[in-house]
Amino acid sequence: KAEVEFAEVDRYVPPDGVTPNDPLYSSEWQLPRIAAPDAWSITEGSAGVTIAILDTGVDPSHPDLASKLVPGWNFYDNNSNTSDVYGHGTKVAGTAAAVGNNANGVASVAWQCLIMPIRISAMDGYATYSAMASGLTWAADHGARVANLSYMATTSSTVTSAAQYFYKKGGVVMSSAGNYSTFDSSADNPYILTISATDENDALYSWSNTGNNIDLAAPGCVYTTTNGGGYGSGCGTSFSAPLVAGVAALVISRNFGLTAAQVTDILHKSADDRGPTGWDSTYGWGRVNAANAVAMAGGA
């Protein structure tokens, strides 16, 4: 009689990726590209992590956003009305944290994380550095762990000072690189993650800015929530930034005890290197990878 019943290689097997049932998920190529389905098998985010969206406001009645909103502030009118006056902020918010796997509309990166709408813009979508700084400080004081600025703000001393405050309170700030096909020679900003934009083949979009301050790249065209309860596409570094914000929220959801410096380090080290080996001025440390990031957050 054989004493060995069977023998096989003891393989190290990853969990199966999660495919959400949202009907428009098939249009969201950006999510598989950053390995979000594999990340969701580990964490879909947590209601204990809030992402502040500093923008034109957020549609408070959108079916994929309404249940996720916590109180914010309107720094343009100095009141609590954070409704979207331009349409940009609702797209950004949905990119980072629209409700996922609810058989409705789109999915996002951080399904379970909350959204703090901070309106900083005028009716035309333009915003001042001072409003951005005030919004960052307010968000930090009201518990946000991630903040997204889909504006070119990395080189502002005013915004950097507020981002440093946010950072010291354990939070990370994302900013768009810009959409002007230009190179920014400014030095890296240690308190703001600046994000360039890539296409479906991980090549830089021709309109994306590059520069010495680029930290990461992420897909620059998305399908997302729109003002008035609808859905539509958006392109620009305005959308690569909130994708990274969503990944940062997943990282913190996996490990609440991480410092801002640790979250930043994880995002850098877990990215898929693109372009020249190591950091470069086009992709930064690489195109963000959600699955790698949440695995590293758990100590893997």
Side-chain angles (χ1 to χ4, degrees):
K1 182 179 179 179
E3 296 182 0
V4 178
E5 185 174 345
F6 66 87
E8 68 175 352
V9 175
D10 188 12
R11 298 190 185 279
Y12 191 68
V13 182
D16 288 335
V18 175
T19 301
N21 60 16
D22 307 87
L24 297 175
Y25 174 69
S26 60
S27 298
E28 297 182 273
W29 66 269
Q30 75 273 12
L31 296 174
R33 173 57 61 193
I34 65 170
D38 290 332
W40 296 330
S41 65
I42 300 172
T43 178
E44 298 167 1
S46 166
V49 178
T50 299
I51 306 170
I53 302 295
L54 287 78
D55 216 288
T56 64
V58 176
D59 181 353
S61 60
H62 197 290
D64 258 348
L65 299 173
S67 64
K68 310 288 293 297
L69 299 178
V70 300
W73 194 252
N74 178 339
F75 282 91
Y76 187 80
D77 293 320
N78 195 32
N79 61 36
S80 60
N81 181 4
T82 56
S83 296
D84 195 343
V85 296
Y86 187 73
H88 188 263
T90 298
K91 286 186 174 184
V92 170
T95 302
V99 179
N101 210 31
N102 64 339
N104 184 56
V106 296
S108 68
V109 183
W111 303 351
Q112 304 293 347
C113 295
L114 300 180
I115 297 167
M116 179 184 290
I118 306 286
R119 183 184 155 196
I120 57 173
S121 83
M123 297 293 289
D124 60 3
Y126 282 70
T128 63
Y129 288 153
S130 59
M132 296 177 196
S134 296
L136 283 174
T137 301
W138 194 93
D141 288 341
H142 288 79
R145 289 291 304 274
V146 180
N148 187 83
L149 273 169
S150 285
Y151 291 85
M152 289 176 61
T154 303
T155 60
S156 163
S157 297
T158 302
V159 177
T160 298
S161 179
Q164 183 177 10
Y165 178 76
F166 197 94
Y167 185 93
K168 287 181 176 178
K169 297 201 70 160
V172 288
V173 179
M174 316 298 153
S175 178
S176 300
N179 309 321
Y180 301 99
S181 306
T182 58
F183 181 90
D184 191 332
S185 61
S186 304
D188 179 54
N189 188 326
Y191 304 112
I192 299 177
L193 291 167
T194 307
I195 315 301
S196 61
T198 51
D199 65 16
E200 295 181 59
N201 297 312
D202 276 345
L204 192 80
Y205 274 113
S206 61
W207 39 256
S208 177
N209 287 8
T210 57
N212 296 333
N213 54 18
I214 299 297
D215 285 275
L216 293 161
C221 286
V222 302
Y223 206 79
T224 183
T225 51
T226 58
N227 208 14
Y231 302 91
S233 59
C235 287
T237 53
S238 282
F239 304 104
S240 54
L243 284 173
V244 179
V247 175
L250 291 181
V251 167
I252 297 169
S253 297
R254 181 83 194 279
N255 188 341
F256 286 97
L258 293 171
T259 66
Q262 289 171 324
V263 174
T264 298
D265 190 52
I266 286 170
L267 292 173
H268 286 169
K269 289 181 176 177
S270 63
D272 289 335
D273 195 10
R274 295 291 181 262
T277 302
W279 180 91
D280 64 79
S281 60
T282 298
Y283 302 95
W285 292 100
R287 194 255 303 122
V288 69
N289 185 306
N292 288 348
V294 296
M296 288 184 67

